[in-house]
Amino acid sequence: MTLKTKAAPHAAQMEEETMTFGTILKSARGAVAALGLAALAATGLSHGASAQSIDDILSKKKLTVGMLVDVAPFGLLDTQGKPEGYDADVARLMGKYLGVEVELVPVTGPNRIPYLLTNKVDVLVAVFGITPERAKQVMFSIPYSTIEIQLIGPKKTEIKSMDQTVGKKIAVARASTQDTALTAAVPKGATIMRFDDDATAAQAFLSGQVDLLGANNLVGTQLAEANPDMGIEKKITLRSQYNGITVRRGSTDFLQWINTFLYFVKNNGELDAINQKWFKVPLPTMPTF
């Protein structure tokens, strides 16, 4: 998704915990997210989720993959509105090795887990940072990609430590790793404004509704290149994020295949080729567990 360089001149007033989308696509995705979260609250998704095996995937001859489409170049929509990017290519490579069709399903940060646990998707390849808290609900593969979580702001705003964020408003995508990092780091007196995805959080930042933005390094680079007059720069590195391919709890057979797949394509150069295609740099060294 291309982040707009200018907000509408009369942007609607935000509330701290919600922000409406500005396009039909975002509205549809937001509605789906809300429904998914409602289902989670009402029924307890962990009880309705069903574990999967390799045989399940092979028998239906299709792998349904949830991916973000608003974090380029990990995920974006092409001119025909179809998902593409690093995660899309990784998902298609999984399908190649499984010998099955791949269906890519756009998800948002907040509805990633609900989509997985209600069986709307088989697996997430969705810039999903590996954390112990998330591992209470899902199972992660070894890392297949990495990003840096940053506090971003205009050059004119001097921020060298988190103490200097007191009195500032900071936009962030709700339920994201950057949300978690900021929540743990901001001092009393700083305000976190949560939005449904990176695009709407970035839009609030670009329009001047907030002072700072919590985002990954890719979003920061894209914003800086698209808005050179703002002098957008990294202020503070909050953490490095290692992303895992994600399955439902209990899917040990499927997870073992995914880990074997990642080990193989890391070593034969195919994952490096995808990284070179989208990021123009070699695949970084990532930890295993």
Side-chain angles (χ1 to χ4, degrees):
M1 177 176 290
T2 301
L3 297 173
K4 298 179 181 179
T5 59
K6 298 295 180 183
H10 299 291
Q13 184 177 3
M14 73 179 74
E15 294 179 3
E16 178 170 340
E17 291 299 326
T18 186
M19 182 71 178
T20 58
F21 287 132
T23 66
I24 293 175
L25 173 62
K26 288 182 180 178
S27 295
R29 287 165 51 202
V32 172
L35 290 172
L37 290 174
L40 174 61
T43 62
L45 291 182
S46 60
H47 298 294
S50 59
Q52 280 186 300
S53 68
I54 286 293
D55 288 340
D56 294 330
I57 302 299
L58 296 178
S59 63
K60 70 174 186 174
K61 300 181 180 180
K62 178 189 284 189
L63 179 67
T64 306
V65 181
M67 62 170 285
L68 299 180
V69 292
D70 63 345
V71 187
F74 280 103
L76 60 154
L77 295 174
D78 64 18
T79 54
Q80 283 77 44
K82 296 180 180 180
E84 66 173 357
Y86 179 92
D87 284 351
D89 283 357
V90 171
R92 292 183 181 112
L93 189 60
M94 289 177 65
K96 170 189 169 183
Y97 276 92
L98 284 167
V100 299
E101 175 189 351
V102 172
E103 178 184 1
L104 299 175
V105 178
V107 297
T108 67
N111 75 18
R112 283 178 295 194
I113 288 180
Y115 262 49
L116 181 64
L117 299 189
T118 54
N119 308 321
K120 290 183 174 67
V121 297
D122 300 315
V123 63
L124 296 173
V125 185
V127 202
F128 210 12
I130 301 167
T131 69
E133 185 64 27
R134 288 169 173 171
K136 294 176 183 177
Q137 300 182 72
V138 298
M139 298 177 73
F140 287 102
S141 72
I142 59 176
Y144 76 101
S145 68
T146 182
I147 57 176
E148 191 174 83
I149 304 302
Q150 301 175 344
L151 182 65
I152 296 162
K155 190 172 184 178
K156 65 181 181 180
T157 303
E158 183 176 354
I159 301 289
K160 294 184 178 179
S161 71
M162 291 304 295
D163 290 339
Q164 292 177 291
T165 64
V166 172
K168 300 288 193 296
K169 293 180 180 179
I170 309 170
V172 70
R174 183 186 294 108
S176 62
T177 308
Q178 52 266 33
D179 186 0
T180 303
L182 275 172
T183 300
V186 295
K188 185 177 180 180
T191 302
I192 299 176
M193 310 294 288
R194 294 177 174 87
F195 298 83
D196 284 336
D197 57 21
D198 283 299
T200 49
Q203 193 76 349
F205 169 66
L206 293 175
S207 66
Q209 297 176 73
V210 298
D211 306 294
L212 301 163
L213 174 68
N216 64 61
N217 57 299
L218 302 173
V219 170
T221 298
Q222 183 181 2
L223 291 175
E225 291 176 350
N227 303 274
D229 57 318
M230 290 185 65
I232 296 171
E233 62 183 12
K234 176 185 72 174
K235 300 297 184 181
I236 296 171
T237 297
L238 297 170
R239 66 174 61 163
S240 292
Q241 172 182 310
Y242 295 102
N243 305 309
I245 296 174
T246 317
V247 299
R248 293 188 280 277
R249 285 176 56 183
S251 304
T252 53
D253 173 63
F254 190 18
L255 185 64
Q256 173 62 23
W257 183 89
I258 293 171
N259 282 332
T260 302
F261 159 77
L262 289 175
Y263 168 83
F264 189 80
V265 297
K266 282 180 180 180
N267 283 284
N268 74 1
E270 287 181 282
L271 194 58
D272 179 71
I274 295 174
N275 204 81
Q276 294 273 9
K277 172 184 174 181
W278 291 104
F279 299 105
K280 313 304 180 187
V281 295
L283 185 73
T285 300
M286 291 174 277
T288 58
F289 53 83

